[in-house]
Amino acid sequence: MLKQTIAVTLLNLRSIPQRWGMSLATVLSIALVVGVLLGFMAMASGFRATVDGAGADDVAVMLRGGAMAEMNSVVERNDVRLLEVAPGIAADESGEPIISAELFVVVDGIKRTSQTRANLALRGVGLSGPELRPQFSLVEGRMFEPGTAELVVGESVLREFDGFALGETIRLGSNEWTVVGVFSTGGSVFDSEIWADLGVIQNLYDRGSSVQTVRARLTSVEALEALQEYVENEPRLNLEVLSERAYFARSAGGTTNLIMFLGWPLAFAMAIGALAGAWNAMYASVDARTRELATLRAIGFGGFPAFVAAMAEALVLAFAGGLIGAVATFLLFDGVSASTLGSGFTQVVFAFAVTPDAVISGVILALIVGFLGGFVPALRAARIPLLAVHSD
Amino acid sequence: MTDASGLYELKNLSKRYTRGKETVAIFDGLDMTISQGDFIAIMGPSGSGKTTLLNLLGGIDRPSSGEVLFEGQRIDNLGQGKLAKWRAKNAGFIFQFYNLMPTLSAAQNVELPLLLTNLSGKARKDRVKTALDIVGMVDRAGHRPAQLSGGQQQRVAIARAIVADPKVLLADEPTGDLDRTTADEILQTLQLLNKELGKTIIMVTHDPAAASYAARELHLNKGRFEEKGKA
Ligand SMILES: Nc1ncnc2c1ncn2[C@@H]1O[C@H](COP(=O)(O)OP(=O)(O)O)[C@@H](O)[C@H]1O
Ligand SMILES: [Mg+2]
């Protein structure tokens, strides 16, 4: 049985080029499905990686209780004072707590590729701001001078948007700024931001002395609990304290899920289309081989090898499609940077990441499409009437 | 009762088709005996049921009623799997349009029936070579059907039909698609298989010249046989 199954399967596979049009269409439609799925997965995992990369366990983020996102949070000057003396917060050489009160506003930038406007986060930070991003480094230029209209821009901003080259003057809203430095935080969300002095932003944007978030370096990962306890037991503070990692995971979750919830149904709908295509192609394949299959049966071959052979053809076409889809997605998208709305409705620039897991999912999806599309035609192959030996 | 030399015995064989409301009887109560070593030409007008009869003899179709006995055993009521085994062991088919696998070489085509046996790869190769030798196609063993003429393809098909050493060869218009000279060569080959190797051959043809190569001619007409003695 094995010998005849292998023989019929080889026979079948070798005849694929005779139906190259249909076969190619099947392969490409499956490749497209896998490409779409992997594209979305790459987007989701790239976004997650970017956001995860930004989160440290030994940095605490404090927002107004129930604010969920930075954008909706208000932290008053007095709150910041109380936090400066909180336990668990690390101090620098001169004994000052490493704490940064921050505020961001949304400004317009012009995207290089599309020449359209997109939102950017302009963040006001204190001098400890960089210290709270472990990967922070100045790539070019210098840090802004406190009290001046100078700004430093993240690498992604420089890459994706017009007008942020070092030394340039740029108008954001009604204010003129000078770009004095370019920084990198190692690919995290902050690379998509513009930083300036907190006091200057509070002034220009009429925020008085309030900020949105307070970031603090913890003495250790465990110190978070002490800080949380302090904030909870201090009646004047209504703040939520969480690790930066937890904070980013929470804000990324929504976007990642959105990408995936969009991606799977779309890939699924397209998979049904590809399934119909595969079904059709396999029917055509069986039809084209009717006389051959009947002849084999007349010689004494069983129906089962014909079934296996047709399934093998369907799965080979599907596998090829899956592989092409995966490789094409990898070549086209892996590492390509994209931007999407971050949790504050600002652009987060991230790189697509085509992960091995996603490739496996894609190939499995392709094989499922091949299996379902090939099954009924394969049954038909097994049931070709013997009298078809005389057909032409 | 089967006599010793009776390879086939057809008993009260009927085959009917229903077309719409109408039932058409191709044969009705056909009886016949075919002896071991016979070379029979079945002739008759188009639509007289020659192919149908061959299908019944070859176990690729079943009668509406009656019995087909082969070496005294009924084959008309064998299950699908048993019938397939019976065909693999006993019957070699030769078709008008050769029915070779286009993607396989001549040798690979000829090898197909041997894949159903327990022969080793080496034994299969030897058998294939012998079969191709008998039909004079050894030097074309590596050619694919598209690279062969019609006559050459039919030779390969004959090699495929004999390679597993079946008792009977069933040929449906084997020269129907060939010119006279090529047809004569094919018919000489069949005659040789009958005379030298003792193969029983049942050949359907509407060509009297082709039929003349057979030892016995049967004319099928309106579901009955008329035997014509040979000069
Ligand atoms: N599967 C079938 N269904 C209905 N009628 C058939 C079928 N096969 C053959 N016939 C009819 O049976 C008759 C005999 O056919 P066939 O054996 O092919 O004749 P021949 O080979 O002598 O030309 C024809 O009239 C043909 O139309
Ligand atoms: Mg016929």
Side-chain angles (χ1 to χ4, degrees):
Chain A
M1 193 53 126
L2 187 66
K3 230 183 326 171
Q4 47 165 316
T5 304
I6 292 171
V8 179
T9 302
L10 288 178
L11 195 61
N12 196 342
L13 296 182
R14 291 164 75 146
S15 70
I16 290 176
Q18 293 176 340
R19 299 177 299 282
W20 68 269
M22 274 275 196
S23 307
L24 193 68
T26 305
V27 168
L28 292 183
S29 64
I30 292 174
L32 198 63
V33 170
V34 170
V36 166
L37 179 71
L38 291 192
F40 274 99
M41 289 176 99
M43 208 191 287
S45 50
F47 186 77
R48 197 193 303 268
T50 300
V51 168
D52 276 356
D57 284 319
D58 63 348
V59 170
V61 176
M62 287 150 279
L63 318 93
R64 177 114 111 238
M68 296 305 281
E70 210 170 352
M71 180 109 144
N72 314 318
S73 173
V74 180
V75 180
E76 298 299 342
R77 177 101 195 103
N78 290 336
D79 299 346
V80 178
R81 290 232 176 77
L82 287 168
L83 290 172
E84 276 167 356
V85 297
I89 296 180
D92 62 15
E93 295 100 63
S94 54
E96 294 293 315
I98 306 174
I99 190 165
S100 169
E102 302 181 357
L103 168 67
F104 86 81
V105 293
V106 174
V107 296
D108 267 352
I110 305 289
K111 292 210 89 171
R112 276 182 201 278
T113 46
S114 55
Q115 290 297 311
T116 53
R117 289 179 178 279
N119 291 339
L120 278 169
L122 170 58
R123 182 181 295 274
V125 297
L127 285 176
S128 309
E131 233 178 305
L132 285 158
R133 277 81 181 179
Q135 310 253 46
F136 182 94
S137 66
L138 274 171
V139 181
E140 274 184 282
R142 57 172 174 83
M143 203 54 193
F144 56 79
E145 279 294 330
T148 64
E150 291 180 346
L151 45 78
V152 291
V153 299
E155 271 185 322
S156 300
V157 175
L158 183 64
R159 192 169 61 234
E160 304 271 324
F161 289 84
D162 271 343
F164 289 100
L166 192 64
E168 271 187 63
T169 306
I170 185 159
R171 183 165 205 90
L172 297 174
S174 52
N175 312 296
E176 297 263 351
W177 299 85
T178 307
V179 181
V180 297
V182 178
F183 68 89
S184 164
T185 55
S188 84
V189 281
F190 299 114
D191 283 0
S192 306
E193 295 187 346
I194 307 167
W195 287 2
D197 180 47
L198 174 67
V200 174
I201 300 236
Q202 282 173 329
N203 236 334
L204 291 176
Y205 287 85
D206 268 340
R207 298 297 170 97
S209 60
S210 72
V211 296
Q212 289 168 327
T213 48
V214 178
R215 278 185 153 72
R217 157 118 326 163
L218 296 165
T219 50
S220 68
V221 175
E222 293 73 35
L224 182 69
E225 278 181 41
L227 181 59
Q228 282 170 327
E229 205 170 314
Y230 166 81
V231 170
E232 218 157 283
N233 294 331
E234 169 55 70
R236 283 170 291 174
L237 289 177
N238 171 26
L239 296 179
E240 185 183 12
V241 180
L242 61 174
S243 75
E244 193 188 35
R245 183 188 296 284
Y247 171 68
F248 277 120
R250 190 173 76 185
S251 46
T255 307
T256 310
N257 286 343
L258 184 72
I259 293 171
M260 292 308 280
F261 281 137
L262 215 63
W264 272 106
L266 188 63
F268 187 74
M270 290 180 63
I272 290 174
L275 193 114
W279 181 299
N280 209 10
M282 287 312 299
Y283 252 112
S285 160
V286 171
D287 271 356
R289 289 177 300 117
T290 297
R291 192 160 68 113
E292 271 177 49
L293 290 168
T295 303
L296 289 170
R297 296 294 302 282
I299 288 172
F301 281 77
F304 181 69
F307 174 82
V308 173
M311 283 312 288
E313 176 178 347
L315 291 175
V316 163
L317 294 181
F319 187 72
L323 226 50
I324 290 172
V327 169
T329 315
F330 185 80
L331 294 181
L332 288 175
F333 290 135
D334 193 52
V336 166
S337 77
S339 52
T340 186
L341 289 179
S343 59
F345 299 108
T346 52
Q347 292 277 316
V348 172
V349 178
F350 61 92
F352 277 73
V354 180
T355 62
D357 271 3
V359 169
I360 290 170
S361 304
V363 170
I364 288 175
L365 177 72
L367 290 177
I368 290 173
V369 168
F371 184 86
L372 295 178
F375 193 79
V376 174
L379 281 183
R380 182 177 159 92
R383 291 179 183 168
I384 294 271
L386 281 159
L387 292 179
V389 288
H390 303 294
S391 68
D392 38 35
Chain B
M1 280 289 96
T2 45
D3 79 58
S5 64
L7 185 65
Y8 272 110
E9 206 172 338
L10 308 187
K11 286 187 182 167
N12 199 19
L13 198 69
S14 297
K15 181 72 184 175
R16 290 179 286 272
Y17 287 115
T18 31
R19 272 192 219 115
K21 287 182 187 146
E22 222 179 332
T23 301
V24 186
I26 313 297
F27 316 114
D28 198 6
L30 194 69
D31 291 298
M32 110 186 250
T33 305
I34 296 170
S35 309
Q36 168 78 51
D38 230 344
F39 185 176
I40 299 177
I42 297 175
M43 302 191 63
S46 182
S48 56
K50 305 182 294 294
T51 296
T52 304
L53 178 65
L54 212 59
N55 290 341
L56 293 171
L57 292 172
I60 62 178
D61 198 2
R62 294 176 195 271
S64 306
S65 64
E67 299 177 5
V68 179
L69 288 95
F70 182 85
E71 296 184 318
Q73 301 291 316
R74 279 183 72 172
I75 61 163
D76 59 90
N77 58 359
L78 289 179
Q80 239 194 56
K82 281 204 168 131
L83 197 54
K85 285 208 174 70
W86 177 87
R87 286 195 301 269
K89 181 166 183 280
N90 297 293
F93 293 91
I94 300 164
F95 304 96
Q96 181 176 359
F97 298 107
Y98 332 124
N99 289 22
L100 298 174
M101 307 296 142
T103 54
L104 298 186
S105 69
Q108 287 169 325
N109 265 289
V110 174
E111 192 186 6
L112 284 172
L114 299 181
L115 297 175
L116 303 172
T117 66
N118 292 323
L119 293 174
S120 68
K122 161 114 182 45
R124 294 203 300 270
K125 283 232 150 46
D126 291 345
R127 292 279 285 268
V128 168
K129 186 159 180 296
T130 307
L132 284 172
D133 204 15
I134 290 171
V135 298
M137 289 293 291
V138 175
D139 53 336
R140 301 293 158 94
H143 288 50
R144 270 184 287 110
Q147 302 168 306
L148 300 172
S149 71
Q152 289 172 327
Q153 289 186 59
Q154 194 60 298
R155 287 177 177 282
V156 173
I158 293 172
R160 180 180 66 186
I162 61 174
V163 74
D165 204 19
K167 298 216 168 74
V168 61
L169 297 182
L170 301 159
D172 194 353
E173 311 267 12
T175 59
D177 201 40
L178 303 174
D179 62 65
R180 185 74 265 154
T181 323
T182 314
D184 284 333
E185 286 166 14
I186 292 293
L187 290 159
Q188 278 157 19
T189 303
L190 289 179
Q191 210 167 40
L192 182 108
L193 292 173
N194 174 248
K195 291 206 170 118
E196 308 280 314
L197 301 179
K199 297 283 173 217
T200 304
I201 300 179
I202 302 162
M203 174 177 78
V204 161
T205 181
H206 60 256
D207 172 15
S212 68
Y213 283 85
R216 201 175 146 200
E217 290 179 27
L218 290 176
H219 284 252
L220 198 54
N221 205 355
K222 302 200 171 80
R224 297 269 160 227
F225 279 122
E226 303 155 16
E227 182 139 10
K228 285 202 179 155
K230 289 205 65 166

